[in-house]
Amino acid sequence: MKERRQGPLQAACAVMLMMLAATAVAQTAPAGEAAAPAEGISYDKARRTAEASLRLHPATDSTYDYRPLWAGNADLDGDGRPEIVYVYTAAQSGTAQQLNELVVMTALADNDPRAQAPAPGKSVYDDETYALIRASGYADDSSVHVPGEVESVTFDAGRIVVAFSSARPTRLCGAGKGRTACPPDGRHTWTYVWTAGKLARAD
């Protein structure tokens, strides 16, 4: 496994912190979808929040360039504060199965351990990453693998509705830890239910 690369320059980090902390009022939907009503978190802020969390994944020889494919927000538990939802992937070499993860992020509590570097001062990269996470106000709570190419993510009464297409051969599904078996080829719409610490497909 490669060691983590050095973090960006302090000036660049400061710019990202300011952008994450800025108040946003509009939300952009995925390509081809109608814009969803604004809920206090813009698409740009949701995406940058996801990007901050994805910095926690170190690059290896086989898996690198973790990046969000889509980001949005909805109040999934009805407490008046939205959760952030995003889908991410990564570049993978060889025949490794492709990451295609649906993630729910929740707001940070005071002194939330998810936003604290395990060894402050030991790694500039880690210190910058956790500073970005604290500035974003959110951290990953739970995730699940989607077994196909995601076309849209919408919300319905606190549930997450994911439309995706499946066509074999593909590296987007299959056997393995944390993987979902390939559904029949074609377009599918699956509904996921989130509760604190758990994201699962609805029965």
Side-chain angles (χ1 to χ4, degrees):
M1 180 181 291
K2 292 182 179 178
E3 294 187 6
R4 294 180 179 178
R5 303 167 184 165
Q6 284 294 317
L9 295 174
Q10 293 293 335
C13 184
V15 170
M16 290 183 72
L17 286 167
M18 288 187 289
M19 294 183 75
L20 280 167
T23 302
V25 295
Q27 176 166 320
T28 302
E33 296 291 318
E39 295 183 89
I41 299 177
S42 70
Y43 169 77
D44 184 65
K45 176 176 172 58
R47 187 179 184 88
R48 290 182 179 278
T49 299
E51 288 172 344
S53 184
L54 289 175
R55 284 171 55 100
L56 292 173
H57 296 277
T60 68
D61 291 332
S62 61
T63 308
Y64 52 93
D65 187 24
Y66 288 80
R67 60 193 181 279
L69 298 173
W70 179 86
N73 73 99
D75 184 359
L76 300 176
D77 58 6
D79 66 354
R81 184 164 190 176
E83 283 68 46
I84 289 176
V85 179
Y86 70 97
V87 178
Y88 79 85
T89 189
Q92 292 182 275
S93 61
T95 59
Q97 292 181 319
Q98 186 70 39
L99 291 172
N100 197 45
E101 316 305 307
L102 175 70
V103 184
V104 174
M105 307 183 81
T106 55
L108 294 172
D110 291 342
N111 299 315
D112 197 309
R114 294 176 297 170
Q116 308 302 318
K122 186 175 181 180
S123 165
V124 173
Y125 181 93
D126 283 352
D127 289 345
E128 290 178 348
T129 296
Y130 284 99
L132 288 168
I133 290 173
R134 288 192 297 275
S136 77
Y138 282 80
D140 290 354
D141 175 82
S142 49
S143 65
V144 67
H145 181 78
V146 180
E149 185 175 349
V150 175
E151 298 176 354
S152 68
V153 180
T154 56
F155 306 102
D156 181 20
R159 296 187 170 199
I160 305 168
V161 181
V162 180
F164 66 93
S165 59
S166 179
R168 285 169 283 191
T170 178
R171 294 195 300 164
L172 289 172
C173 56
K177 184 178 180 180
R179 306 288 296 180
T180 303
C182 296
D185 288 0
R187 191 174 186 274
H188 303 272
T189 301
W190 287 7
T191 299
Y192 295 89
V193 175
W194 172 79
T195 55
K198 183 178 180 180
L199 179 61
R201 186 182 175 191
D203 294 332

